[in-house]
Amino acid sequence: MGKLPFAKSVFCALGYSTVRLSLADASAGEMMVLENDGSAHQSLLSAPLNSLPTLAEGSNISKTIHGERDIILPLPIDLEEYSYEDIRTEHFDCRGRDKSQPLHSLEEWQFMRRKYNEVVDASVKFDDAIPPTLGYTLSGGSPPPFYAKLSPGKGRGLFASREINEGELIHIGGKSAVTFPNGMSWRMFVFSLPRDLACDIAMWSWTQSLSMEGEYQILVDLNIAAFFNDGGDDHSNIKPQNSTSLNFYAIRDIKKDTELMYDYHEYDTDWDEVGL
C-alpha cells in the first residue's frame, strides 16, 4: 500500500471529510467534526492513542485538507514503516507549508510538552519557572541571552537579547532538549500532533551521540531554543563545544539584536542509526 500524504489523509474510517481539533480541546479529547455537507457536531475522542482509527487501504478520499494548524490525523496502519523523510515530505507534506509560520504561543508549547509526557515519557518534568516562550533557566534564575522573532528569509530565529562576549556560554542543551528512546517513540509523538506542529518537530529534531562511544539519540527542544538557524561556515557566531556536546558558546563578540546561528553540520544527523 502506498503511504497517504497529509493533504489527502482524513478520518476515512469514520466517514468524515475533515476533522479539526483545537489544541485546548485536544487535551480534553473533544473535537469538532465537519461533515461533507458543512454541518458540525461534537465528538469525544476518548480512546487511547494506539487504538485510534487508521487509514484503511482503498478508502474513498472525498476532500482535500489544506493544513490548518488544528488538524490531527489518525495513526497510519503501517506506522513502523515510515522513515523520517516519509513523514516529513510525504505524509505531512512539510515542504508545502507556508514559509511564514508565526511564533508559537505558550499554549502550543504546553500542548507539545503534554503530548511528550503522554506518548513518550511521563517522568520528564516541565516545571521550569521560565516559560518556553522565553527558553528555560540558564543560570541564576535567568533565561538564555536570546529572544525569538521572525528572521527575514529564514522564518523563526533567535536573536541576542544583550551584548555577548566571545567564549560566553549561551545555551545548555541538557537543560532544554528532550530525548526519544527509539524511532518508534518519535513517530508516535509526531503523529499525535497537528500537521503544523508535527512539521515543526520534524524540522527541529536531530540525532546525536552524546559520548564518543555512545549510541545515537533523537533530540528536540520544546522551547524557543528550537529556533536556532543554520549559519554555515560564513555566518555562524556560536558553536557547540564539540560534536557530542549540547553546550553552545559564542565564537566571537556578538552585538545585541544580532541573529544567533550555528553550522548545522556540527552534528552528523543520521536517521538510519535511530530506526528512521
Side-chain angles (χ1 to χ4, degrees):
M1 169 186 166
K3 296 179 178 63
L4 297 175
F6 176 90
K8 294 183 179 179
S9 296
V10 292
F11 269 107
C12 301
L14 300 181
Y16 302 135
S17 294
T18 305
V19 176
R20 289 184 174 87
L21 180 60
S22 73
L23 298 185
D25 290 341
S27 295
E30 187 175 347
M31 63 184 176
M32 179 68 73
V33 178
L34 301 182
E35 302 284 13
N36 290 336
D37 62 1
S39 62
H41 68 272
Q42 295 290 332
S43 175
L44 291 179
L45 184 61
S46 57
L49 183 65
N50 59 9
S51 66
L52 288 176
T54 57
L55 296 175
E57 183 171 4
S59 297
N60 180 30
I61 300 169
S62 60
K63 188 174 181 180
T64 298
I65 298 175
H66 295 291
E68 292 91 337
R69 289 177 67 80
D70 56 354
I71 293 176
I72 297 179
L73 296 179
L75 294 174
I77 58 176
D78 54 349
L79 176 65
E80 70 281 357
E81 298 180 11
Y82 276 63
S83 69
Y84 171 79
E85 285 300 323
D86 289 335
I87 293 169
R88 188 174 69 92
T89 63
E90 293 184 27
H91 186 80
F92 289 110
D93 187 27
C94 296
R95 291 179 178 173
R97 285 200 304 169
D98 182 355
K99 302 301 182 184
S100 58
Q101 295 293 317
L103 296 179
H104 297 77
S105 66
L106 178 60
E107 180 190 29
E108 288 173 311
W109 288 118
Q110 291 173 335
F111 176 78
M112 288 186 280
R113 290 176 167 194
R114 285 196 300 270
K115 282 299 178 183
Y116 180 87
N117 283 149
E118 291 171 9
V119 176
V120 182
D121 189 346
S123 69
V124 173
K125 304 298 183 184
F126 296 106
D127 54 3
D128 196 323
I130 300 296
T133 50
L134 297 179
Y136 58 93
T137 300
L138 180 68
S139 63
S142 299
F146 51 68
Y147 63 92
K149 74 171 187 177
L150 297 182
S151 175
K154 299 187 184 75
R156 307 164 182 126
L158 292 176
F159 296 78
S161 57
R162 57 169 173 80
E163 303 288 318
I164 297 174
N165 297 320
E166 180 179 356
E168 185 176 344
L169 175 64
I170 62 101
H171 174 53
I172 301 177
K175 292 185 175 182
S176 174
V178 296
T179 61
F180 298 82
N182 49 52
M184 181 55 75
S185 65
W186 186 87
R187 289 186 186 94
M188 294 290 286
F189 176 59
V190 170
F191 278 103
S192 75
L193 302 173
R195 184 246 187 156
D196 273 346
L197 296 183
C199 286
D200 287 335
I201 293 297
M203 179 173 61
W204 301 336
S205 297
W206 76 96
T207 68
Q208 181 183 359
S209 173
L210 300 180
S211 65
M212 292 305 295
E213 303 299 328
E215 296 182 354
Y216 272 76
Q217 298 188 42
I218 308 170
L219 302 97
V220 71
D221 293 298
L222 295 181
N223 59 67
I224 62 169
F227 295 162
F228 284 118
N229 281 317
D230 182 15
D233 289 333
D234 297 330
H235 302 291
S236 295
N237 49 19
I238 63 172
K239 69 178 297 182
Q241 187 173 21
N242 54 55
S243 63
T244 61
S245 175
L246 293 172
N247 293 342
F248 282 70
Y249 295 84
I251 58 176
R252 61 176 63 93
D253 290 339
I254 303 172
K255 294 182 178 181
K256 183 181 178 181
D257 299 322
T258 300
E259 183 169 8
L260 302 176
M261 296 182 287
Y262 76 96
D263 186 351
Y264 282 179
H265 291 101
E266 294 283 351
Y267 295 138
D268 184 21
T269 292
D270 189 336
W271 295 108
D272 289 337
E273 285 286 338
V274 293
L276 285 165

